[in-house]
């Protein structure tokens, strides 16, 4: 209590002002009490500050997080977009109707133009990957073999292609594949140095099926794997894909949920194999929320690299899934919360031209900061 608040003539007030008490006695008897009382008052105030309501503390935390997010976005550039007409030069000389065609990238660029997204992106020219960059993942013998295809005849290219599973080669395949790898590396450099916030590489040929010493599944060099090594990060590899108990291509046991990586990567590989077709938006979102994102947030990566395949898009005859373009936007938004937003997407599969183009545009709109679009029912995952 403070003396100024005491009623006039109270005992405490008279004692404090009594001339009968010596200064020494006043100091010893009351000074200590005042000191103790002053300390108690500070303690009460301190406790009062600590005992603010949970809602108030959470509101303050949210405001601070928003301020941090705004400041971090202001400190870096925009969304990078890498594309070149050269990516259309890789094509099948003996099968005009092959699904992995140049139309895949031209359809995406046309859709980006239609949605007026191109002007909002930071356009970048691709660069060729150097040999030492390819050797981060692939064997030199294989790289040299792919280089030799530049001088092969169509017959020789066809014969070599037949050695692999689902591969075609063209005299310009090697150069185009170098540009595909280099494009992703260029985005990694810009994002890691905060020159760009994030980025999308509209590239081909795809890369995610390419193995250390052989081409596979339309893929020549493993673009994203090389980018991961290039960034010198140790990161979890998350994969959702159609599997159907190994009856779906590429029929590999490494695609099953029991495979968790090998060697130094053991325990860092997560496979989420769908054993049925026609999985919906809700199924993919549930997979992200319940499995992939919790693991990713625990790992706390410095960079997120996405092999952005659109085989799961509705209408894709190979994937036979039912993921809508708005869902690709939602999934991209989820990933943007990782690694301080350092996110690089590289085009992989997707063979329905319209669905692939709309899916890629949805991802780029999300990278640019666009709001999540509404999803159509069903909004609950299936029980399959």
């Amino acid at each position: 209590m403070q003396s100024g608040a005491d009623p006039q003539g109270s005992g405490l007030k008279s004692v404090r002002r009594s001339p009968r008490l010596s200064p020494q006695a006043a100091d010893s008897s009351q000074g200590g009490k005042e000191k103790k009382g002053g300390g108690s008052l500070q303690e009460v105030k301190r406790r009062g500050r600590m005992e603010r309501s949970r809602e108030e503390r959470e509101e303050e935390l949210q405001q601070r997080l928003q301020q941090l997010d705004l400041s971090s976005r202001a400190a870096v550039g925009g969304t990078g977009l890498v594309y070149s007409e050269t990516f259309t030069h890789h094509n099948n000389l003996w099968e005009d109707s092959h699904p992995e065609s140049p139309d895949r990238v031209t359809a995406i660029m046309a859709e980006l133009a239609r949605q007026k997204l191109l002007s909002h992106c930071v356009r970048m020219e691709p660069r060729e990957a150097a040999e030492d960059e390819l050797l981060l993942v692939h064997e030199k013998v294989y790289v040299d073999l792919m280089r030799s295809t530049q001088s092969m005849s169509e017959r020789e290219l066809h014969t070599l292609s037949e050695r692999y599973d689902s591969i075609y080669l063209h005299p310009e395949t090697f150069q185009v594949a170098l540009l595909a790898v280099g494009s992703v590396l260029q985005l990694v450099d810009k994002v890691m140095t905060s020159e760009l916030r994030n980025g999308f590489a509209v590239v081909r040929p795809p890369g995610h099926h390419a193995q250390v010493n052989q081409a596979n599944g339309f893929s020549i060099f493993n673009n994203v794997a090389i980018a991961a090594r290039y960034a010198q990060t140790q990161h979890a590899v998350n994969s959702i894909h159609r599997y159907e108990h190994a009856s779906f291509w590429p029929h590999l046991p490494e695609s099953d949920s029991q495979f968790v990586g090998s060697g130094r990567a053991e325990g860092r590989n997560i496979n989420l194999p769908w054993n049925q077709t026609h999985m919906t938006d809700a199924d993919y979102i549930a997979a992200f929320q319940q499995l992939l994102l919790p693991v990713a947030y625990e790992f706390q990566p410095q960079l997120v690299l996405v092999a952005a395949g659109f085989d799961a898009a509705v209408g894709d005859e190979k994937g036979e899934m039912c993921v809508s373009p708005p869902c690709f936007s939602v999934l991209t938004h989820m990933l943007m919360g990782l690694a301080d937003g350092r996110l690089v997407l590289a085009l992989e599969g997707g063979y329905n031209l319209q669905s692939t183009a709309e899916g890629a545009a949805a991802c780029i709109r999300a990278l640019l900061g666009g709001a999540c679009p509404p999803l159509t029912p069903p909004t609950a995952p299936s029980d399959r």
Side-chain angles (χ1 to χ4, degrees), residues 108-142:
I108 290 174
M109 297 304 293
E111 182 65 19
L112 295 178
R114 188 188 72 80
Q115 295 191 26
K116 297 180 171 56
L117 295 175
L118 290 176
S119 62
H120 297 284
C121 297
V122 180
R123 299 291 299 274
M124 300 173 58
E125 289 296 320
R127 71 166 177 86
E128 290 188 358
E131 179 176 298
D132 61 330
E133 293 167 342
L134 299 180
L135 296 179
L136 292 171
V137 168
H138 298 285
E139 294 181 355
K140 181 171 172 48
V141 173
Y142 172 66

Side-chain angles (χ1 to χ4, degrees), residues 67-312:
Q67 292 171 356
L68 286 173
D69 183 60
L70 290 173
S71 64
S72 65
R73 286 181 180 275
V76 299
T79 295
L81 181 69
V82 186
Y83 173 74
S84 170
E85 185 270 340
T86 303
F87 291 124
T88 66
H89 295 185
H90 168 68
N91 63 82
N92 194 320
L93 296 173
W94 48 87
E95 185 184 343
D96 293 336
S97 59
H98 195 281
E100 206 296 284
S101 71
D103 293 339
R104 297 178 60 242
V105 291
T106 56
I108 290 174
M109 297 304 293
E111 182 65 19
L112 295 178
R114 188 188 72 80
Q115 295 191 26
K116 297 180 171 56
L117 295 175
L118 290 176
S119 62
H120 297 284
C121 297
V122 180
R123 299 291 299 274
M124 300 173 58
E125 289 296 320
R127 71 166 177 86
E128 290 188 358
E131 179 176 298
D132 61 330
E133 293 167 342
L134 299 180
L135 296 179
L136 292 171
V137 168
H138 298 285
E139 294 181 355
K140 181 171 172 48
V141 173
Y142 172 66
V143 173
D144 290 341
L145 177 60
M146 290 298 103
R147 182 183 290 107
S148 70
T149 61
Q150 297 176 99
S151 59
M152 288 185 181
S153 66
E154 180 177 335
R155 182 183 182 88
E156 290 172 324
L157 290 168
H158 197 174
T159 300
L160 180 58
S161 299
E162 292 296 315
R163 288 173 47 182
Y164 304 113
D165 186 359
S166 302
I167 284 293
Y168 68 80
L169 296 166
H170 181 278
E172 293 190 56
T173 292
F174 181 72
Q175 180 192 8
V176 178
L178 290 183
L179 283 178
V181 175
S183 297
V184 185
L185 301 187
Q186 200 167 17
L187 283 177
V188 167
D189 283 336
K190 299 294 185 181
V191 169
M192 291 302 292
T193 57
S194 295
E195 294 180 58
L196 292 173
R197 181 187 304 110
N198 49 48
F200 195 111
V202 183
V203 299
R204 57 183 295 275
H208 64 295
H209 287 304
Q211 300 178 23
V212 172
N213 59 357
Q214 63 179 352
N216 188 42
F218 309 158
S219 305
I220 307 301
F221 298 127
N222 202 314
N223 308 323
V224 171
I226 295 171
R229 292 282 180 86
Y230 177 80
Q232 297 181 352
T233 59
Q234 296 181 354
H235 62 287
V237 180
N238 299 326
S239 174
I240 304 179
H241 49 266
R242 181 177 169 188
Y243 185 59
E244 293 186 56
H245 306 287
S247 65
F248 184 69
W249 194 92
H251 319 290
L252 297 173
E254 289 86 351
S255 299
D256 200 1
S257 58
Q258 296 178 349
F259 183 76
V260 294
S262 59
R264 291 188 300 170
E266 185 174 0
R268 300 183 181 276
N269 192 89
I270 299 175
N271 281 315
L272 203 167
W274 295 133
N275 288 317
Q276 298 186 64
T277 58
H278 303 102
M279 307 302 279
T280 66
D281 293 352
D283 295 312
Y284 277 78
I285 290 173
F288 266 57
Q289 291 179 334
Q290 301 300 318
L291 177 61
L292 303 182
L293 286 179
V295 172
Y297 273 102
E298 182 178 355
F299 184 77
Q300 297 183 344
Q302 295 174 284
L303 171 70
V304 177
L305 298 168
V306 180
F310 296 92
D311 316 55

